[in-house]
Amino acid sequence: VAYTTNIDTDAHPGELLKRKAFVSVGHDEYWTMGMHNAVQSAISAGVNVAFFSANTAYWQIRLEPNTTGVANRIEVGYKDFATSSSAPGPDPLWNVNNLLVTTNWRDPVVNMPENGLLGVMYEQQEDNDYAYVVTNAANWIYAGTGFVDGTKVAGIVGYEYDRVWNNGFSPANETVLS
Protein backbone atom coordinates (compact mmCIF):
# COMPACT_ATOMS: atom_id res chain seq x y z
CA VAL A 1 0.00 0.00 0.00
CA ALA A 2 1.26 3.45 -0.89
CA TYR A 3 -0.21 6.77 0.13
CA THR A 4 -0.31 10.00 -1.78
CA THR A 5 -1.73 13.46 -1.27
CA ASN A 6 -3.59 15.70 -3.67
CA ILE A 7 -0.51 17.88 -3.95
CA ASP A 8 1.63 14.82 -4.76
CA THR A 9 -0.86 13.78 -7.44
CA ASP A 10 -0.69 17.26 -8.96
CA ALA A 11 3.10 17.60 -8.74
CA HIS A 12 4.01 14.00 -9.69
CA PRO A 13 1.22 12.71 -11.96
CA GLY A 14 3.26 9.79 -13.28
CA GLU A 15 3.27 8.13 -9.86
CA LEU A 16 -0.30 6.90 -10.36
CA LEU A 17 0.80 5.00 -13.46
CA LYS A 18 3.03 2.85 -11.24
CA ARG A 19 0.03 1.58 -9.27
CA LYS A 20 -2.68 -1.01 -9.85
CA ALA A 21 -5.37 1.09 -8.18
CA PHE A 22 -6.17 4.60 -7.03
CA VAL A 23 -8.68 4.90 -4.20
CA SER A 24 -10.14 8.21 -3.06
CA VAL A 25 -11.79 7.75 0.33
CA GLY A 26 -12.32 11.23 1.69
CA HIS A 27 -14.34 14.30 0.91
CA ASP A 28 -12.21 15.10 -2.14
CA GLU A 29 -14.10 18.15 -3.44
CA TYR A 30 -11.26 20.38 -4.67
CA TRP A 31 -9.06 19.26 -7.59
CA THR A 32 -6.45 20.92 -9.76
CA MET A 33 -6.26 20.33 -13.50
CA GLY A 34 -3.06 18.39 -12.79
CA MET A 35 -4.89 16.05 -10.42
CA HIS A 36 -7.71 15.58 -12.93
CA ASN A 37 -5.28 14.84 -15.76
CA ALA A 38 -3.23 12.44 -13.62
CA VAL A 39 -6.29 10.38 -12.66
CA GLN A 40 -7.63 10.45 -16.23
CA SER A 41 -4.24 9.25 -17.53
CA ALA A 42 -4.19 6.49 -14.92
CA ILE A 43 -7.68 5.34 -15.94
CA SER A 44 -6.68 5.41 -19.61
CA ALA A 45 -3.60 3.31 -18.77
CA GLY A 46 -5.73 0.67 -17.04
CA VAL A 47 -5.27 1.70 -13.42
CA ASN A 48 -8.37 0.77 -11.41
CA VAL A 49 -10.04 3.64 -9.58
CA ALA A 50 -12.61 3.81 -6.81
CA PHE A 51 -14.25 6.83 -5.21
CA PHE A 52 -15.84 6.21 -1.80
CA SER A 53 -17.36 9.61 -1.21
CA ALA A 54 -19.64 12.07 -2.91
CA ASN A 55 -19.03 15.60 -4.17
CA THR A 56 -15.64 14.55 -5.54
CA ALA A 57 -13.84 16.86 -7.98
CA TYR A 58 -16.64 19.43 -7.78
CA TRP A 59 -14.52 22.61 -7.73
CA GLN A 60 -11.42 23.24 -9.79
CA ILE A 61 -8.61 24.92 -7.85
CA ARG A 62 -5.06 26.04 -8.58
CA LEU A 63 -2.01 25.69 -6.38
CA GLU A 64 0.36 28.64 -6.17
CA PRO A 65 3.54 29.40 -4.23
CA ASN A 66 3.38 31.18 -0.89
CA THR A 67 4.96 34.59 -0.31
CA THR A 68 8.39 33.02 0.25
CA GLY A 69 8.19 31.10 -3.03
CA VAL A 70 7.47 27.61 -1.67
CA ALA A 71 5.50 25.85 -4.40
CA ASN A 72 1.96 24.53 -3.97
CA ARG A 73 1.26 26.22 -0.63
CA ILE A 74 -1.71 28.46 -1.57
CA GLU A 75 -5.00 27.00 -2.78
CA VAL A 76 -6.73 29.38 -5.20
CA GLY A 77 -10.46 29.02 -5.73
CA TYR A 78 -12.77 31.83 -6.85
CA LYS A 79 -15.75 29.45 -6.86
CA ASP A 80 -19.02 31.30 -7.56
CA PHE A 81 -17.11 34.51 -8.27
CA ALA A 82 -14.80 33.02 -10.92
CA THR A 83 -16.66 34.69 -13.79
CA SER A 84 -18.20 37.54 -11.82
CA SER A 85 -17.19 41.17 -11.81
CA SER A 86 -18.20 41.30 -8.14
CA ALA A 87 -15.44 40.95 -5.55
CA PRO A 88 -13.59 38.72 -4.97
CA GLY A 89 -13.91 37.84 -8.67
CA PRO A 90 -13.25 37.46 -11.38
CA ASP A 91 -10.57 34.79 -11.56
CA PRO A 92 -7.62 36.43 -13.36
CA LEU A 93 -7.49 33.48 -15.77
CA TRP A 94 -11.08 33.98 -16.96
CA ASN A 95 -10.97 34.57 -20.72
CA VAL A 96 -7.18 34.13 -20.56
CA ASN A 97 -7.01 30.35 -19.94
CA ASN A 98 -10.55 29.14 -19.24
CA LEU A 99 -9.39 25.55 -18.69
CA LEU A 100 -7.80 26.71 -15.42
CA VAL A 101 -10.58 28.99 -14.16
CA THR A 102 -11.43 28.03 -10.58
CA THR A 103 -15.11 27.28 -10.93
CA ASN A 104 -17.13 24.07 -11.07
CA TRP A 105 -15.71 21.50 -13.47
CA ARG A 106 -19.16 21.28 -15.07
CA ASP A 107 -19.36 25.05 -15.59
CA PRO A 108 -19.49 25.89 -19.34
CA VAL A 109 -16.27 27.90 -18.91
CA VAL A 110 -14.29 24.71 -18.14
CA ASN A 111 -16.84 22.21 -19.59
CA MET A 112 -15.31 19.10 -18.03
CA PRO A 113 -18.20 17.71 -15.95
CA GLU A 114 -16.95 15.44 -13.19
CA ASN A 115 -19.05 12.52 -14.40
CA GLY A 116 -16.71 12.28 -17.40
CA LEU A 117 -14.05 11.13 -14.94
CA LEU A 118 -16.09 9.66 -12.07
CA GLY A 119 -19.22 8.40 -13.80
CA VAL A 120 -21.38 10.40 -11.38
CA MET A 121 -21.74 13.99 -10.27
CA TYR A 122 -22.66 15.74 -7.07
CA GLU A 123 -26.33 16.64 -7.00
CA GLN A 124 -27.03 18.43 -3.74
CA GLN A 125 -26.75 18.64 0.00
CA GLU A 126 -29.68 17.45 2.04
CA ASP A 127 -30.38 17.03 5.72
CA ASN A 128 -32.59 14.02 4.96
CA ASP A 129 -31.59 10.45 5.73
CA TYR A 130 -31.78 8.65 2.40
CA ALA A 131 -31.45 4.90 2.25
CA TYR A 132 -28.97 3.18 -0.03
CA VAL A 133 -31.11 1.21 -2.51
CA VAL A 134 -29.58 -1.76 -4.34
CA THR A 135 -30.36 -1.73 -8.08
CA ASN A 136 -27.91 -4.29 -9.48
CA ALA A 137 -27.78 -7.13 -6.94
CA ALA A 138 -26.33 -9.58 -9.51
CA ASN A 139 -23.07 -7.58 -9.56
CA TRP A 140 -20.06 -9.28 -7.92
CA ILE A 141 -19.78 -6.51 -5.34
CA TYR A 142 -22.92 -7.81 -3.64
CA ALA A 143 -21.84 -11.49 -3.63
CA GLY A 144 -22.69 -13.17 -0.34
CA THR A 145 -24.66 -10.21 1.03
CA GLY A 146 -28.13 -11.59 0.45
CA PHE A 147 -29.11 -8.29 -1.16
CA VAL A 148 -31.70 -8.29 -3.93
CA ASP A 149 -32.71 -5.40 -6.15
CA GLY A 150 -34.65 -2.97 -4.00
CA THR A 151 -32.87 -3.83 -0.73
CA LYS A 152 -32.61 -0.66 1.34
CA VAL A 153 -29.85 0.09 3.83
CA ALA A 154 -30.65 3.05 6.07
CA GLY A 155 -28.02 5.47 7.30
CA ILE A 156 -25.50 4.93 4.49
CA VAL A 157 -26.15 7.92 2.20
CA GLY A 158 -24.60 11.08 3.61
CA TYR A 159 -25.89 14.61 3.39
CA GLU A 160 -24.04 15.23 0.12
CA TYR A 161 -24.74 12.74 -2.62
CA ASP A 162 -23.98 11.99 -6.27
CA ARG A 163 -26.13 10.58 -9.00
CA VAL A 164 -25.80 9.44 -12.62
CA TRP A 165 -26.41 12.29 -15.06
CA ASN A 166 -27.54 11.89 -18.65
CA ASN A 167 -25.44 14.69 -20.14
CA GLY A 168 -23.28 12.80 -22.63
CA PHE A 169 -20.12 12.78 -20.48
CA SER A 170 -20.52 9.51 -18.54
CA PRO A 171 -17.96 6.82 -19.37
CA ALA A 172 -18.96 3.93 -21.62
CA ASN A 173 -19.97 0.70 -19.87
CA GLU A 174 -20.76 2.43 -16.60
CA THR A 175 -22.19 0.02 -14.01
CA VAL A 176 -24.75 1.47 -11.61
CA LEU A 177 -25.03 -0.39 -8.30
CA SER A 178 -27.56 1.67 -6.38
Side-chain angles (χ1 to χ4, degrees):
V1 173
Y3 299 90
T4 189
T5 69
N6 293 354
I7 292 173
D8 293 330
T9 302
D10 179 82
H12 309 287
E15 290 298 311
L16 295 184
L17 299 175
K18 300 175 185 175
R19 309 295 174 214
K20 292 182 180 180
F22 170 78
V23 179
S24 173
V25 295
H27 186 86
D28 210 2
E29 184 174 347
Y30 300 90
W31 282 39
T32 65
M33 181 63 79
M35 292 166 56
H36 181 282
N37 291 344
V39 173
Q40 184 63 65
S41 292
I43 291 168
S44 296
V47 175
N48 295 296
V49 297
F51 299 94
F52 292 107
S53 66
N55 199 9
T56 298
Y58 182 66
W59 293 103
Q60 177 168 221
I61 59 165
R62 288 190 306 274
L63 298 172
E64 296 182 353
N66 66 12
T67 56
T68 62
V70 179
N72 301 325
R73 299 304 297 170
I74 304 292
E75 181 181 300
V76 177
Y78 284 85
K79 296 177 97 171
D80 293 327
F81 294 92
T83 60
S84 170
S85 57
S86 300
D91 186 320
L93 292 185
W94 183 37
N95 292 327
V96 174
N97 185 350
N98 283 347
L99 279 178
L100 297 179
V101 171
T102 58
T103 187
N104 294 123
W105 288 95
R106 64 180 83 169
D107 189 289
V109 173
V110 178
N111 198 32
M112 295 175 67
E114 55 271 31
N115 67 314
L117 182 71
L118 309 171
V120 294
M121 289 197 315
Y122 171 66
E123 180 163 61
Q124 67 185 10
Q125 179 173 328
E126 290 281 344
D127 290 329
N128 296 323
D129 182 18
Y130 293 114
Y132 178 92
V133 181
V134 175
T135 59
N136 190 352
N139 188 278
W140 66 267
I141 201 153
Y142 293 121
T145 65
F147 288 167
V148 297
D149 287 353
T151 298
K152 294 180 181 181
V153 181
I156 298 292
V157 178
Y159 67 94
E160 291 183 336
Y161 65 89
D162 294 341
R163 73 171 176 88
V164 174
W165 293 70
N166 185 14
N167 63 358
F169 285 89
S170 293
N173 303 315
E174 181 171 24
T175 300
V176 178
L177 299 173
S178 67

